[in-house]
Amino acid sequence: STHNIPKLSHVSSEFLQWFVGFSDGEGNFLISPDLKKITVKFRFKINLHVDDLSVLQLIESTLGVGKAKLSENGKYATYEVITFEDIQKVIIPIFNTFPLLTTKSLDFNDFKEAVNIKEKLGSLTSIQFNQINKLKAGMNAQRTDYTKYNSNLITINSYWFLGFVEGEGTFGFKSLVPYFQVAQKNHSQGVLEAIKLFLKNLPRTHMDTLTTSTSNTHAIINKKTNVISYIVTDVDVLYDYIQPFFEIGRAHV
């Protein structure tokens, strides 16, 4: 399908939706003010395990901006977009066109507002610099205000979900019981509710199974970290819905 991002006319909407889902899980919008020079640098960054460098190289080659590389200590892989024009003409248009669904959307909105301040002025006045600094101070780990986050507007699509699971999903066994899990900070619980509904509406693939139900998808809250995990342990559901989705979905991205 098509989209209206001039710099990315060669990139499919499906890939961009996957990238936004992946960014909801792993992306970071960073502002670095320099008080001495009254200047600000902007970065979009993804940090992954060193074994995942190839997916960052895929993002780099597909979007045509940024740099995927190993960290200096070789312990993790990073993808960074630091050129202001690339932030303006590629990164911001992607997330304007295909919105983030977690509370990371709030960080993006503050990031975009700061970019717009710099874009209009070129060289910053101290007042504008302080405005940007204030935006930075309320972002990411420092965020305390979630009032602008509206989880009622969330709609999950397959490509976003595939990307999000690549960032935040887990497949495993606990006491020999297979499970699929996605987790988020409790402020993004609305996303997990939407994912639960999305999973319920997945097409059933293996019609020979007599009884299936997603009703035992359950939530676990870690009170120390404020992380909510949704876990699917029903083998029929995993076999009928989850496994086929990822077998089919992976072929599209």
Side-chain angles (χ1 to χ4, degrees):
S1 58
T2 58
H3 53 78
N4 295 313
I5 307 175
K7 282 264 187 182
L8 298 174
S9 57
H10 61 292
V11 180
S12 71
S13 289
E14 290 80 7
F15 180 88
L16 294 178
Q17 289 172 82
W18 170 87
F19 172 70
V20 171
F22 193 57
S23 299
D24 254 319
E26 300 290 350
N28 293 284
F29 300 94
L30 304 168
I31 301 173
S32 303
D34 184 331
L35 183 57
K36 289 183 180 177
K37 297 180 181 177
I38 314 293
T39 59
V40 179
K41 291 182 179 177
F42 297 89
R43 283 183 297 154
F44 173 77
K45 187 174 186 178
I46 299 173
N47 276 350
L48 296 178
H49 188 275
V50 64
D51 292 344
D52 292 322
L53 177 62
S54 60
V55 72
L56 299 182
Q57 290 171 329
L58 172 66
I59 291 170
E60 178 192 338
S61 62
T62 304
L63 297 184
V65 298
K67 183 65 181 172
K69 61 183 180 181
L70 296 178
S71 61
E72 288 183 10
N73 60 15
K75 291 184 178 179
Y76 53 91
T78 68
Y79 171 73
E80 275 191 310
V81 182
I82 59 174
T83 304
F84 190 64
E85 185 180 357
D86 293 339
I87 297 282
Q88 285 177 296
K89 296 186 177 178
V90 176
I91 296 301
I92 286 177
I94 289 173
F95 297 105
N96 275 341
T97 306
F98 303 104
L100 293 150
L101 301 184
T102 68
T103 53
K104 200 162 287 182
S105 60
L106 301 177
D107 294 326
F108 169 69
N109 289 339
D110 288 344
F111 182 82
K112 179 172 68 172
E113 187 177 339
V115 167
N116 286 341
I117 291 171
K118 179 172 179 177
E119 184 180 43
K120 288 175 183 173
L121 292 162
S123 58
L124 296 170
T125 66
S126 58
I127 292 173
Q128 308 299 339
F129 177 83
N130 289 337
Q131 278 185 318
I132 291 175
N133 219 10
K134 187 176 180 182
L135 287 167
K136 172 196 161 58
M139 290 173 59
N140 301 315
Q142 287 76 45
R143 178 171 297 283
T144 56
D145 181 8
Y146 293 89
T147 54
K148 292 181 181 177
Y149 180 61
N150 186 354
S151 60
N152 296 326
L153 300 176
I154 295 172
T155 52
I156 305 287
N157 69 59
S158 297
Y159 296 100
W160 179 92
F161 182 63
L162 187 58
F164 184 72
V165 169
E166 294 221 51
E168 298 290 352
T170 305
F171 300 88
F173 286 86
K174 190 168 185 178
S175 303
L176 297 180
V177 176
Y179 70 89
F180 166 66
Q181 171 182 310
V182 285
Q184 267 294 290
K185 289 283 189 181
N186 63 353
H187 296 294
S188 290
Q189 183 172 358
V191 169
L192 294 181
E193 295 290 349
I195 286 172
K196 188 175 179 181
L197 185 63
F198 173 81
L199 293 177
K200 249 180 183 173
N201 291 325
L202 281 178
R204 183 175 166 190
T205 306
H206 301 113
M207 300 307 289
D208 54 328
T209 305
L210 293 176
T211 57
T212 58
S213 168
T214 54
S215 61
N216 73 337
T217 301
H218 55 283
I220 294 176
I221 300 174
N222 184 327
K223 291 184 178 178
K224 287 184 181 177
T225 60
N226 280 327
V227 169
I228 299 176
S229 302
Y230 270 112
I231 305 173
V232 182
T233 54
D234 187 307
V235 174
D236 287 340
V237 173
L238 292 170
Y239 179 71
D240 268 358
Y241 298 87
I242 305 297
Q243 178 189 335
F245 172 82
F246 289 103
E247 285 178 344
I248 296 166
R250 187 168 290 137
H252 286 137
V253 174

